Amino acid sequence: MLFISFLKFMSLIKKSLNSLLIRPDGHNPAVDGIRALAIILVVIGHVYTIQVALTEVPKPSWLRHDYGVDMFFVISGFLIGTILIKEFQKTNKINYAKFYVRRFLRLMPVYVVILIAGIYFMQNWYNQLPDQGLPLLGDNTLIGEGTNAKNMWANLFYVNNFLDADEQYLLWCWSLAIEEQFYIIAPFFLSFILLKTRKRISIFIALLILSCIIRFVTVYQHNIFPENYWNALSTGPNGKNYLNYTFTHLYDNLLTRYGGLLVGVIGAYLVQFHLNKIRVFMAKKLASIILIFSVVIFFGAFVDLEFRYFGRFAEFSQLTLNDWEKVYWAATIGFSRNLFSLATMFIILYSIYNKTSIGRGINKFLSLRWFYPVAQISYSAYLTHWMLMFWMYPSTVPFLSEYFESIHVVHAINGILGVIATLLASIILYIFSTSSLFIINASINLYKILLSLLFFLILNISLRKLYKSFLLCS
């Protein structure tokens, strides 16, 4: 019996590894490539962001890793939109319950593991550096205050972005909250669009413009102009610094960030309903011209091209704008992310449906074989990387500084260590999550279900005791 169970376990591991390494039919290589690039960008950006808090050496000015999240939003909107629209085309309806259950089973197992693990890994930052917590991460005292673990409930319900930035537990999970909130709305929205109206494109465009307007108005409403933009030394109306204030009102808000997700849905709609028109358009010269603009916008975003008029970010706090410059600033904030999202979506579509050497070249690059496994573990990597780096870097930065004079060498070695740790943890979590899905999708008898429930009950009791011991130790 034990031997049979072991064989079944190994079979699950093998299936998980196969799903990690072998791209199945129907998977879009270009989408995998963009997703892989997004997580690489985010992880490398946070390698520097976290070390900046320890060494006060700024990260490279060209590394705008925050746009990696916009790339994720576009991909999520495109994939979820494709799933829902395809279902509607087959059945003339969308099964809401099935959609939500599948989302829950795919996302929640790994997320719960990370939420529990974060109690330990994040506390290490505050234990070792009681006076050097990042401005966005709350008080540097006890568990539940320094790590904000008391607000874990908000993460479980995907409403953590409703809290102020310094009150959130595992701050980087704000993007998951936005995606889940969008997932709740998307099936109903698409049902209405597909069933009740023929002016679908007009509605999509109107909502995208509205997204830009909301961001524009938010800048004025909350006075997020250069002197306050991400400024930890400037105090906002709520008494908290503008680093916190900008994050809370502009950065992690569904109303100010749904544009990228909507762009992905629009891309899915065009592919499912107007595929022939897309193929014809992509063969025209105009498509190549738009591609040039898209590439400039895409790469320009990473070097702050949209802010060049205002100078360097480090000098923003010293700027005083006239009325017209304020309009230009607010418009830049309002339109830049959506333009980047549109550029990303167009590059994906061009790489798939343009059959010239340029289109094939882009597709060949995005289809690199090693991009696929990176894309597969991107969710786990996003959840684990910041937490692991917070756990490692307070120890590794001073240790490496004793052997290397150049802080840039220290940053680079730390980055490699952080990436390796993230990679290993992500693979383990990926195997865990896919194995769970295989078990759930298989035919499971009542006896096995009861054993599973007993296991999770024991695990829950153990984790409660572990959590209490951490409280006592702190």
Side-chain angles (χ1 to χ4, degrees):
M1 181 68 178
L2 183 63
F3 181 70
I4 293 174
S5 298
F6 175 76
L7 290 179
K8 288 183 177 180
F9 172 75
M10 293 305 297
S11 176
L12 284 174
I13 299 297
K14 184 179 179 181
K15 287 178 68 175
S16 297
L17 288 174
N18 285 338
S19 70
L20 173 62
L21 299 173
I22 302 173
R23 194 195 316 266
D25 295 335
H27 245 261
N28 195 311
V31 173
D32 291 331
I34 292 292
R35 181 189 282 168
L37 291 173
I39 190 60
I40 291 169
L41 184 65
V42 169
V43 170
I44 292 176
H46 286 158
V47 162
Y48 283 96
T49 300
I50 295 169
Q51 292 187 85
V52 164
L54 300 170
T55 61
E56 298 182 355
V57 176
K59 70 177 183 180
S61 58
W62 49 267
L63 194 57
R64 284 290 303 275
H65 64 278
D66 55 301
Y67 275 110
V69 177
D70 294 272
M71 293 163 69
F72 276 127
F73 284 168
V74 172
I75 294 299
S76 293
F78 183 73
L79 294 177
I80 294 303
T82 299
I83 290 170
L84 293 173
I85 293 171
K86 278 186 174 180
E87 181 181 356
F88 178 85
Q89 288 175 321
K90 288 181 180 179
T91 64
N92 204 39
K93 65 178 182 179
I94 293 175
N95 188 326
Y96 303 126
K98 179 182 176 182
F99 173 76
Y100 293 132
V101 169
R102 286 175 66 88
R103 289 295 94 199
F104 178 86
L105 293 177
R106 182 167 292 277
L107 301 176
M108 188 55 74
V110 172
Y111 196 28
V112 169
V113 171
I114 294 301
L115 292 177
I116 295 171
I119 296 171
Y120 168 74
F121 284 99
M122 293 301 292
Q123 184 64 23
N124 188 57
W125 175 273
Y126 299 102
N127 286 343
Q128 296 200 43
L129 294 164
D131 299 320
Q132 296 188 45
L134 288 178
L136 287 175
L137 294 172
D139 300 326
N140 304 330
T141 52
L142 301 176
I143 290 177
E145 294 180 35
T147 65
N148 291 324
K150 63 182 179 182
N151 292 329
M152 188 191 298
W153 63 270
N155 296 68
L156 289 170
F157 288 99
Y158 292 105
V159 293
N160 43 303
N161 65 322
F162 291 177
L163 303 175
D164 280 356
D166 61 349
E167 297 175 2
Q168 293 183 33
Y169 176 56
L170 304 187
L171 180 66
W172 62 96
C173 294
W174 65 269
S175 63
L176 273 68
I178 286 180
E179 287 195 28
E180 288 304 309
Q181 291 157 21
F182 186 81
Y183 292 162
I184 291 172
I185 299 169
F188 296 99
F189 168 69
L190 283 173
S191 292
F192 171 78
I193 288 288
L194 299 175
L195 281 172
K196 301 297 183 181
T197 180
R198 294 187 179 275
K199 298 181 179 180
R200 298 164 184 171
I201 298 296
S202 298
I203 292 175
F204 283 136
I205 293 173
L207 287 172
L208 192 59
I209 293 173
L210 178 62
S211 170
C212 298
I213 293 172
I214 290 172
R215 289 179 61 82
F216 181 93
V217 172
T218 300
V219 172
Y220 270 93
Q221 181 183 2
H222 298 287
N223 196 31
I224 307 177
F225 290 103
E227 65 271 21
N228 296 322
Y229 186 64
W230 295 109
N231 189 350
L233 302 178
S234 179
T235 304
N238 61 355
K240 297 180 180 180
N241 65 63
Y242 255 99
L243 179 62
N244 179 300
Y245 201 72
T246 304
F247 194 100
T248 300
H249 294 282
L250 184 66
Y251 194 70
D252 75 341
N253 189 320
L254 176 63
L255 288 177
T256 59
R257 295 303 294 267
Y258 76 80
L261 290 154
L262 180 63
V263 167
V265 172
I266 294 172
Y269 171 80
L270 293 175
V271 169
Q272 297 305 315
F273 282 95
H274 302 283
L275 182 57
N276 289 333
K277 291 181 180 179
I278 289 178
R279 285 174 172 157
V280 171
F281 178 79
M282 290 300 175
K284 295 181 177 180
K285 186 176 181 180
L286 179 60
S288 298
I289 295 173
I290 295 175
L291 175 69
I292 294 172
F293 281 101
S294 297
V295 170
V296 170
I297 292 170
F298 184 86
F299 288 103
F302 300 116
V303 293
D304 277 336
L305 183 63
E306 71 271 34
F307 290 115
R308 284 301 171 192
Y309 173 83
F310 303 100
R312 297 172 61 245
F313 176 77
E315 299 168 352
F316 280 2
S317 60
Q318 303 168 22
L319 292 178
T320 301
L321 305 184
N322 61 40
D323 290 341
W324 284 110
E325 287 175 325
K326 285 187 175 182
V327 171
Y328 179 43
W329 170 271
T332 299
I333 298 292
F335 286 88
S336 57
R337 289 195 182 276
N338 286 346
L339 282 175
F340 176 83
S341 298
L342 286 168
T344 302
M345 190 72 254
F346 189 83
I347 290 170
I348 292 172
L349 295 178
Y350 190 91
S351 71
I352 298 172
Y353 299 110
N354 180 278
K355 301 307 178 183
T356 65
S357 58
I358 296 175
R360 290 197 302 268
I362 297 172
N363 191 277
K364 186 175 181 179
F365 170 72
L366 293 176
S367 303
L368 287 174
R369 186 172 181 180
W370 65 272
F371 275 166
Y372 175 71
V374 173
Q376 288 296 91
I377 63 171
S378 60
Y379 175 60
S380 297
Y382 185 84
L383 288 175
T384 57
H385 76 283
W386 196 322
M387 181 177 71
L388 290 172
M389 291 174 191
F390 264 88
W391 177 68
M392 293 171 54
Y393 289 169
S395 301
T396 56
V397 166
F399 175 78
L400 291 172
S401 297
E402 294 181 3
Y403 296 93
F404 301 96
E405 292 184 3
S406 173
I407 194 63
H408 299 292
V409 173
V410 172
H411 280 187
I413 296 174
N414 256 335
I416 294 171
L417 293 174
V419 169
I420 291 173
T422 298
L423 186 64
L424 293 174
S426 300
I427 292 173
I428 293 170
L429 282 173
Y430 178 83
I431 292 172
F432 163 74
S433 63
T434 51
S435 298
S436 301
L437 286 174
F438 288 142
I439 292 172
I440 291 169
N441 291 332
S443 177
I444 306 174
N445 58 41
L446 182 61
Y447 172 72
K448 292 181 180 178
I449 292 176
L450 291 174
L451 280 180
S452 300
L453 290 174
L454 179 62
F455 169 78
F456 282 111
L457 178 62
I458 295 171
L459 180 64
N460 181 267
I461 294 171
S462 302
L463 289 172
R464 282 175 178 270
K465 290 184 178 180
L466 181 63
Y467 178 70
K468 288 180 180 179
S469 68
F470 280 131
L471 286 174
L472 292 173
C473 291
S474 62

